[in-house]
Amino acid sequence: MIDLTTLLHWGFQTIVAFVSTIAFAIIFHTPKKEYLFCGITGGVGWLVYLICVGMGWGVVAGSFLATVALAWFSRIFAFRRKAPVTVFLITGIFPLVPGAGIYYTGYHLFMSDNFLALDKGLETVKIAIAIALGIGIVLSLPSILFTFRRPRRLP
């Protein structure tokens, strides 16, 4: 069972991911009318990640499922907003990128702690592969799944 403090912590982290995604969208020169949707994409991805890790599925599985969710939202927003998928995908993936893992891999290498460097490096590579697979799977799906249009009836 998930307690109230965990839910509040997840909510706070999701808001921070939302705001940081919008900040990255500003740096990325995303059109202003897309800021809210970029933030939603990043927030949803981070929330899915938190839920998966909180359920004990691990960071690699959490990263994969979060990437699938945010790539799905990116495609939906791209069709609805008539914008490229990359506008939402690149900004939304920002909270999930394993930057800390890359940093700690280098740190442990320079500190001559090869076991920890290898451990952190392999985990980082697994997360990067999970992110790439999640993006690849969702982007390879047919576009009809994201348009939500009803077929026309012929008279």
Side-chain angles (χ1 to χ4, degrees):
M1 197 71 176
I2 300 172
D3 59 347
L4 182 61
T5 57
T6 303
L7 289 176
L8 290 174
H9 190 65
W10 288 357
F12 177 72
Q13 285 193 32
T14 302
I15 291 168
V16 170
F18 173 83
V19 171
S20 67
T21 303
I22 291 175
F24 187 71
I26 292 168
I27 293 170
F28 192 62
H29 297 292
T30 302
K32 290 181 182 179
K33 65 182 182 174
E34 309 302 344
Y35 287 166
L36 175 67
F37 301 100
C38 291
I40 291 170
T41 304
V44 165
W46 189 251
L47 182 61
V48 170
Y49 174 80
L50 289 175
I51 291 170
C52 291
V53 171
M55 294 178 68
W57 292 357
V59 294
V60 177
S63 296
F64 173 74
L65 293 173
T67 303
V68 167
L70 74 88
W72 192 278
F73 271 77
S74 296
R75 293 221 34 205
I76 289 172
F77 289 151
F79 279 102
R80 291 286 183 179
R81 309 284 302 161
K82 296 184 181 8
V85 174
T86 55
V87 168
F88 307 105
L89 185 63
I90 291 175
T91 56
I93 205 78
F94 177 71
L96 294 177
V97 173
I102 296 167
Y103 169 80
Y104 285 117
T105 301
Y107 174 79
H108 292 302
L109 274 174
F110 287 121
M111 299 307 280
S112 297
D113 195 350
N114 295 332
F115 177 75
L116 283 176
L118 181 63
D119 183 49
K120 189 52 84 172
L122 286 176
E123 181 183 65
T124 303
V125 168
K126 285 190 240 180
I127 291 170
I129 291 171
I131 290 171
L133 285 174
I135 292 171
I137 288 170
V138 175
L139 292 183
S140 67
L141 294 173
S143 63
I144 193 70
L145 295 174
F146 306 99
T147 57
F148 300 115
R149 292 186 183 153
R150 293 184 183 155
R152 291 185 184 175
R153 292 186 188 184
L154 297 175

